[in-house]
Amino acid sequence: FSLQHRGQESCGIAVTDDTTVKQYKDMGLVANVFNPDILNELTGKIAVGHTRYSTAGGSYRQNSQPLVSRYLKGALTISHNGNLTNALELREKFENEGCIFQTTIDSEVIAYVIARERVKNPSVEEAVSRMMDIVVGSYSLLVMSPKKLIGCRDPQGIRPLVLGKRGKSYILSSETCALDAVGAEYIRDVEPGEIVVIDENGLRSIKTHCRKKKRALCIFELIYFARPDSFIEGISVYESRKEAGRQLAIEYPVDADLVIGVPDSGMDAAIGYAEQSGIPYGKGLVKNRYIGRTFISPTQQAREDGVKIKLNALKSAVSGKRIIMVDDSIVRGTTIARLV
């Protein structure tokens, strides 16, 4: 639920109890896909979950994650956030060698490389390390074997990954807000290039790929993707958005009667603009809470239909006034065109 904002097309959970892997995944939101009966069946020692916003590969059920693969050494389950830049090249190479892929997502390429390397190496973490020499691009990755949970970030740290703890259990998540939701303590961010191994002996870290490349956190995490109550690499998402609004007011001062923000992720920057400029901040747009993030809808028609019912002007607040409307970004231009 806490990471629903990161993907609204499909979701899934896979658990293992040392021998077997049970999983459930489907198209739709977490609240629609899971119910108490399904969750009660998903018992085990290790679990991984995923909410998907499709980038590579279409919006189909078979592309939903976690991805469970069965191979010579047993079951391998992965949850991947990111995009590979050499996925097509690797897929073509492997297909020419006889490999069969069940999905169209680049995450399956990662799964195949890890499985192939695991057959040649003594441990899953060694196979993950080898994978990092082959795969290029952005990945925050969870790898679940029957007895281990492994997390890793690409050497540039493009996507976030944090480590937390509740009781004796360790938790890996894209954002700290998910740790808050389950009452877990935030320990630290996983470093770019780091591999974290969690098993019955506790936690250990492999840093052979750390500090090999310049750090390059995706700025869109702070601008849009992440929830405002999260911290990414020690930075408050909320404060970073307010600071962006302050900078905007300094660089582009405008004489106006009211500053408004575009819900939800544009609101914090609007507060910063208002504080810096001294122009009152107010509510100018009302959001329908039952419409998701239109940016991550899979088709343009769905995005346009969503915008029509997602936001509406609060006429009594804005009529006859000079308005500064602050938004965080223009991705496709669908929302901003209608709002203006």
Side-chain angles (χ1 to χ4, degrees):
F1 274 115
S2 298
L3 300 180
Q4 183 70 88
H5 60 287
R6 297 188 70 85
Q8 300 177 350
E9 288 177 42
S10 63
C11 59
I13 297 172
V15 300
T16 183
D17 58 3
D18 284 350
T19 52
T20 59
V21 175
K22 292 177 279 189
Q23 70 162 327
Y24 191 88
K25 57 184 181 178
D26 208 343
M27 304 300 289
L29 302 174
V30 173
N32 299 330
V33 171
F34 291 101
N35 60 48
D37 291 337
I38 293 167
L39 292 171
N40 287 337
E41 292 295 315
L42 296 172
T43 56
K45 293 182 178 178
I46 313 171
V48 291
H50 192 269
T51 59
R52 183 165 188 259
Y53 148 54
S54 62
T55 49
S59 181
Y60 309 109
R61 189 182 185 280
Q62 68 266 29
N63 286 344
S64 59
Q65 295 187 42
L67 203 57
V68 179
S69 306
R70 289 173 174 81
Y71 71 121
L72 185 65
K73 296 288 184 178
L76 187 75
T77 305
I78 72 165
S79 284
H80 168 219
N81 174 29
N83 272 80
L84 307 186
T85 53
N86 66 340
L88 292 177
E89 172 191 332
L90 288 174
R91 178 184 280 262
E92 189 174 304
K93 175 179 179 289
F94 298 148
E95 284 176 337
N96 287 333
E97 293 171 358
C99 177
I100 298 169
F101 288 100
Q102 304 293 327
T103 75
T104 57
I105 55 175
D106 52 5
S107 310
E108 193 174 10
V109 173
I110 297 176
Y112 175 75
V113 173
I114 294 173
R116 187 187 69 174
E117 294 302 315
R118 174 64 183 93
V119 172
K120 298 185 284 186
N121 289 281
S123 67
V124 180
E125 54 267 38
E126 183 66 28
V128 171
S129 181
R130 301 286 183 191
M131 175 276 296
M132 294 174 81
D133 293 327
I134 298 166
V135 164
V136 181
S138 64
Y139 51 87
S140 276
L141 192 66
L142 295 185
V143 181
M144 182 175 75
S145 72
K147 294 180 184 290
K148 293 175 185 174
L149 177 64
I150 296 167
C152 74
R153 281 178 84 186
D154 69 78
Q156 289 182 284
I158 297 170
R159 293 277 163 234
L161 189 64
V162 298
L163 176 67
K165 192 176 186 183
R166 191 182 81 167
K168 294 181 179 179
S169 298
Y170 286 99
I171 300 169
L172 288 159
S173 171
S174 287
E175 292 184 40
T176 58
C177 65
L179 301 179
D180 298 337
V182 296
E185 172 196 0
Y186 164 77
I187 297 174
R188 62 179 177 86
D189 285 58
V190 175
E191 287 184 41
E194 183 182 7
I195 300 170
V196 174
V197 184
I198 302 162
D199 60 19
E200 58 192 6
N201 298 315
L203 175 104
R204 56 198 165 86
S205 173
I206 302 165
K207 297 189 176 183
T208 51
H209 288 79
C210 292
R211 299 175 188 85
K212 286 191 171 182
K213 292 188 177 180
K214 183 181 177 183
R215 294 177 78 133
L217 174 71
C218 174
I219 197 65
F220 216 49
E221 288 287 349
L222 293 169
I223 293 169
Y224 180 89
F225 280 140
R227 240 171 58 167
D229 52 332
S230 286
F231 286 79
I232 296 177
E233 296 188 353
I235 299 166
S236 161
V237 174
Y238 171 69
E239 292 298 338
S240 73
R241 289 175 183 170
K242 274 210 327 185
E243 183 59 30
R246 290 190 194 101
Q247 286 296 323
L248 184 63
I250 291 166
E251 294 177 30
Y252 292 94
V254 178
D255 188 24
D257 303 309
L258 187 70
V259 179
I260 68 168
V262 178
D264 282 313
S265 43
M267 308 285 275
D268 305 334
I271 292 169
Y273 193 107
E275 286 180 357
Q276 180 66 39
S277 66
I279 299 168
Y281 167 81
K283 191 172 183 178
L285 293 163
V286 176
K287 182 183 179 184
N288 185 323
R289 295 289 167 191
Y290 304 97
I291 298 294
R293 306 185 98 171
T294 48
F295 159 64
I296 51 181
S297 295
T299 65
Q300 181 62 20
Q301 186 60 53
R303 290 190 288 271
E304 288 179 3
D305 291 343
V307 170
K308 288 174 187 173
I309 52 175
K310 177 182 176 180
L311 294 162
N312 199 31
L314 189 60
K315 293 177 186 177
S316 62
V318 301
S319 181
K321 291 178 183 172
R322 297 167 302 164
I323 302 294
I324 296 170
M325 184 174 71
V326 181
D327 204 355
D328 52 25
S329 54
I330 304 173
V331 181
R332 296 185 170 97
T334 306
T335 301
I336 201 76
R338 174 171 166 79
L339 295 185
V340 170

